[in-house]
Amino acid sequence: MTDDNGIQLDIEQLRERYRIEQQKRLRTDGISQYQELSGTYEEYDRDPYVEPGFTREAVVESTDVVIVGGGFAGMLTAINLAKLGIRNFRIVEKAGDFGGTWYWNRYPGCMCDVESYTYLPLLEETGYMPTERYASATEIFGYCQLIGRTFDLYDHALFQTVITGTTWDDATHRWQVETSRDDRIAARFIVIAGGLLHKAKLPGIPGIEDFAGRAFHTSRWDYGYTGGSAREPMDGLAGKRVGIIGTGATAVQAVPQLAKTAGELFVFQRTPSAVGFRGNGPTDEAWYRGQAPGWQTERIINFTHAVTGTQPDTDLVNDGWTASMWVDTQKLPESDVEAADLERIDFETMEAFRRRIDEIVEDPTTAERLKPWYGKHCKRVCFHDEYLPAFNRPNVHLVDTDGRGVERITAAGVVVDGVEYPLDCLVFASGFEVTTDFDQRVGFDPIGRDGTPLREHWSHGARTLHGVLAGSFPNMMMIGILQAGFGTNFVHFLSKSSEHVANVIAACTAQGIETIEAAPAAEDEWLGVLYGAAAGAARYVFTCTPGYYNSELGAPNEKTARTLVYPGSLLDYAGYLERWRDAGDMPGAVVSLSETTAG
Ligand code: NDP
């Protein structure tokens, strides 16, 4: 078969190649191949961006809402609550400031891979103009601080504070929240907005604890060691042998910067990323300032349509994302003809990524090894104009592990195929926990009605209504992807979710509803909706190489069978939330009225 660019695509051969590459990577330990940054690895989790020794008085208070997390989800929840007249809330955040992922990820080259005009929320309200089409992490972190100031969130925040326990008190109808700084906060509601990529993980490579050089995770970058900053060259790496494990979206951004200053850079690859054209550039101020009111919402919705296969008439963003995700090739086909079409489109999209490598990478062997052999929905595709050229530099070495991963780490360095690569510095670009147990990811185990911990209540798998409310955990709301939505523009999802949560809290307040939780039957019904929507994705996923998108293709069990994300467009997911709110009587929720209202 010949694609639009006149290149022969042998569908049978591609299917077989994908199958072989998947088989190489299948393993029995699934997500448990990774380890937490705790115990022996606790030092990896230390916040390098705050001065040690911070102390403050413990806070003892009663509030309407405790919001867990000061990233975009937490900030947007707070802003939406305030807009609805609820101003008595606390934001509890582990980091030293707002920003969430943009606080932690300060690695060199870190930037947003979604266009800033659609990714950064509230641009029309703040009047801020992003300096570039794809904004740097430094700028986004600064924007988070600006949001904090603009919407008066700082007075509500308790930073460098970790929640240690939340217990529902059925006598007072309050959550009792305890923290690492001895705070005792009684709250009518808690909103757990802990983030999608909140918890960094390390690969379980034998000998990892033996490495004698400097090692850190990308989300805790040690500029003290590397020198430089997110914007300045890392002169501390001059003459040093640096290794980076991982070639996902983070490494794609960090490698070009490391390549500029490291004496030698070794990139240890298990599975290559697809890396398309980026084309970043400064914002055209005249264009930006000339946008009509309401432009941002229109652009955000337009982008989400364009990357979920619900093609808008005009592609307003028109970038690598919209070009490659224009058709949702993992949807359930209605006929054999459609199935063949979807498969061909997917192969063509990935073939274009592979051809780009041949055009840029000079050494044919390196080019071949950098090629991704899986479907476009299997892993997050990347867009970068310096990653592939970095492999043309004499100081950059791709160490491909042919899908097996790094064999061993020693005191001196990293071993692949029996060859030891001595290193001074080792960077783990090994990603974040996404599908581990909820309480493990958020860092505390809420105790619900009757003293039951959430971990125990969900021992057979998560039970929620829309991924937001849970039975037996009154007045607890979750903002996350578990049994909820997801999107390429994740902040669009967070905007919709936080709006929902704030509206539910406001509706409860207005209607005198003292407690709200999900009814078990409604949780079951929602699971049925998720299963129905997941049929296409489930079929597609079994052609993929493992990764966090598919829980490392681990063997399913009753728990993982419930660890689902609504697989369609986040706008479809948001539609469920909106219809539920519009119904007016909170269908599927069990509510109790306050005594005055009931009386
Ligand atoms: P990922 O989980 O995508 O990548 C982890 C990498 O580590 C993979 O390449 C993985 O290989 C590799 N790895 C794991 N174990 C081993 C091993 N034993 N030996 C060798 N390699 C190993 O994490 P990232 O931090 O790169 O990205 C996570 C997510 O963060 C992205 O998907 C994206 O959603 C987000 N992100 C967003 C950005 C943005 O611009 N908005 C920028 C950067 C990240 P394998 O693939 O084989 O598992």
Side-chain angles (χ1 to χ4, degrees):
M1 178 176 289
T2 308
D3 77 4
D4 292 347
N5 297 311
I7 298 281
Q8 286 289 122
L9 284 184
D10 185 329
I11 299 282
E12 277 305 327
Q13 221 175 51
L14 283 169
R15 273 188 203 139
E16 181 58 7
R17 181 71 194 262
Y18 281 24
R19 193 190 64 77
I20 291 168
E21 295 297 336
Q22 181 203 55
Q23 292 297 312
K24 277 182 199 169
R25 290 166 174 82
L26 290 180
R27 42 194 292 164
T28 49
D29 51 1
I31 55 172
S32 51
Q33 69 180 280
Y34 289 101
Q35 48 196 352
E36 294 180 61
L37 275 63
S38 58
T40 320
Y41 307 106
E42 205 160 315
E43 183 53 22
Y44 279 89
D45 199 27
R46 195 181 57 80
D47 183 346
Y49 317 121
V50 289
E51 294 296 325
F54 167 76
T55 57
R56 65 162 169 77
E57 292 282 302
V59 172
V60 178
E61 66 180 12
S62 185
T63 189
D64 284 334
V65 188
V66 163
I67 300 169
V68 184
F72 276 131
M75 287 191 290
L76 290 170
T77 301
I79 292 165
N80 282 317
L81 282 171
K83 283 179 181 171
L84 293 165
I86 298 171
R87 294 191 178 78
N88 191 17
F89 55 80
R90 267 288 169 205
I91 305 172
V92 182
E93 168 58 58
K94 175 180 172 178
D97 207 330
F98 289 119
T101 200
W102 301 106
Y103 173 91
W104 294 109
N105 286 285
R106 304 187 190 191
Y107 60 83
C110 185
M111 61 182 348
C112 186
D113 62 358
V114 172
E115 191 201 60
S116 46
Y117 321 129
T118 59
Y119 180 82
L120 296 178
L122 306 167
L123 284 174
E124 288 191 73
E125 287 181 56
T126 59
Y128 181 78
M129 183 185 84
T131 61
E132 290 180 290
R133 187 166 186 202
Y134 302 94
S136 71
T138 311
E139 179 168 351
I140 299 175
F141 176 39
Y143 185 64
C144 292
Q145 293 171 312
L146 176 85
I147 289 181
R149 290 192 301 273
T150 307
F151 295 93
D152 294 325
L153 301 182
Y154 276 95
D155 287 347
H156 298 265
L158 297 175
F159 293 123
Q160 299 191 56
T161 304
V162 175
I163 302 241
T164 51
T166 55
T167 305
W168 174 253
D169 180 350
D170 219 15
T172 59
H173 289 165
R174 294 288 182 276
W175 281 96
Q176 302 297 335
V177 178
E178 297 178 7
T179 78
S180 55
R181 300 204 178 266
D182 297 330
D183 306 313
R184 299 279 178 274
I185 308 171
R188 287 177 58 222
F189 293 91
I190 52 169
V191 178
I192 304 179
L196 165 66
L197 302 169
H198 161 68
K199 200 158 174 219
K201 60 180 165 51
L202 288 174
I205 301 170
I208 187 170
E209 67 282 6
D210 296 337
F211 183 62
R214 182 72 191 116
F216 49 86
H217 189 274
T218 46
S219 64
R220 306 284 188 275
W221 198 270
D222 185 358
Y223 284 107
Y225 178 85
T226 64
S229 69
R231 290 177 185 274
E232 294 146 330
M234 294 173 283
D235 42 16
L237 295 181
K240 296 245 162 65
R241 292 171 63 90
V242 179
I244 181 164
I245 293 182
T247 48
T250 296
V252 164
Q253 296 180 342
V255 161
Q257 305 307 319
L258 288 168
K260 285 179 190 162
T261 51
E264 303 288 330
L265 176 64
F266 297 87
V267 181
F268 297 98
Q269 172 180 272
R270 186 164 70 179
T271 308
S273 281
V275 186
F277 172 69
R278 176 74 308 171
N280 197 9
T283 299
D284 174 344
E285 185 162 358
W287 166 80
Y288 189 83
R289 301 283 181 217
Q291 296 294 312
W295 70 269
Q296 200 194 11
T297 303
E298 185 191 357
R299 198 171 179 91
I300 289 170
I301 293 171
N302 183 278
F303 178 77
T304 291
H305 277 307
V307 293
T308 50
T310 41
Q311 310 171 356
D313 290 340
T314 311
D315 174 4
L316 292 175
V317 172
N318 189 20
D319 70 354
W321 275 118
T322 62
S324 55
M325 295 297 160
W326 194 244
V327 177
D328 175 9
T329 53
Q330 61 177 347
K331 72 178 199 195
L332 197 61
E334 284 173 13
S335 66
D336 290 349
V337 173
E338 192 187 7
D341 253 9
L342 295 175
E343 188 187 37
R344 177 185 50 76
I345 291 166
D346 201 299
F347 280 143
E348 283 172 5
T349 307
M350 291 304 285
E351 191 60 27
F353 285 118
R354 289 189 286 267
R355 252 180 269 158
R356 183 167 184 264
I357 299 167
D358 285 328
E359 285 160 16
I360 295 172
V361 177
E362 288 156 12
D363 173 46
T365 310
T366 306
E368 211 45 46
R369 289 179 178 156
L370 283 167
K371 289 184 182 167
W373 298 101
Y374 47 80
K376 68 182 176 130
H377 295 287
C378 294
K379 286 184 186 289
R380 190 169 179 97
V381 294
C382 305
F383 300 94
H384 209 283
D385 298 336
E386 292 176 74
Y387 178 71
L388 294 172
F391 291 94
N392 293 333
R393 299 175 69 115
N395 66 327
V396 178
H397 316 281
L398 178 69
V399 184
D400 182 41
T401 65
D402 196 23
R404 292 185 302 274
V406 163
E407 191 178 306
R408 206 153 33 91
I409 295 179
T410 63
V414 166
V415 180
V416 173
D417 265 343
V419 177
E420 184 180 74
Y421 296 82
L423 299 170
D424 300 302
C425 174
L426 181 55
V427 179
F428 290 103
S430 45
F432 302 85
E433 292 186 23
V434 177
T435 53
T436 49
D437 286 347
F438 181 82
D439 59 293
Q440 179 174 319
R441 274 182 297 115
V442 298
F444 60 92
D445 191 5
I447 312 286
R449 198 191 290 293
D450 305 326
T452 310
L454 187 70
R455 173 175 277 262
E456 188 184 317
H457 187 66
W458 284 1
S459 59
H460 299 284
R463 305 182 55 84
T464 75
L465 175 58
H466 305 139
V468 176
L469 292 170
S472 299
F473 290 78
N475 296 7
M476 181 180 92
M477 315 233 171
M478 295 164 284
I479 298 183
I481 62 168
L482 180 61
Q483 299 193 354
F486 182 65
T488 301
N489 179 3
F490 196 58
V491 176
H492 187 191
F493 162 71
L494 295 178
S495 303
K496 289 288 169 192
S497 247
S498 59
E499 184 184 284
H500 178 67
V501 161
N503 272 286
V504 176
I505 293 174
C508 288
T509 307
Q511 294 170 33
I513 293 173
E514 185 82 354
T515 68
I516 179 168
E517 64 190 277
E523 293 172 336
D524 292 338
E525 200 179 312
W526 178 240
L527 190 67
V529 171
L530 293 172
Y531 281 146
R539 182 175 170 274
Y540 184 97
V541 104
F542 289 113
T543 67
C544 288
T545 50
Y548 81 84
Y549 268 30
N550 50 43
S551 276
E552 306 295 333
L553 290 181
N557 57 41
E558 63 169 352
K559 239 172 139 173
T560 57
R562 286 172 170 267
T563 308
L564 293 178
V565 176
Y566 183 84
S569 165
L570 75 88
L571 288 165
D572 292 344
Y573 168 74
Y576 282 98
L577 304 183
E578 277 155 30
R579 285 191 295 277
W580 184 85
R581 293 201 305 271
D582 289 348
D585 58 348
M586 303 185 178
V590 180
V591 299
S592 72
L593 297 178
S594 66
E595 274 172 24
T596 35
T597 313

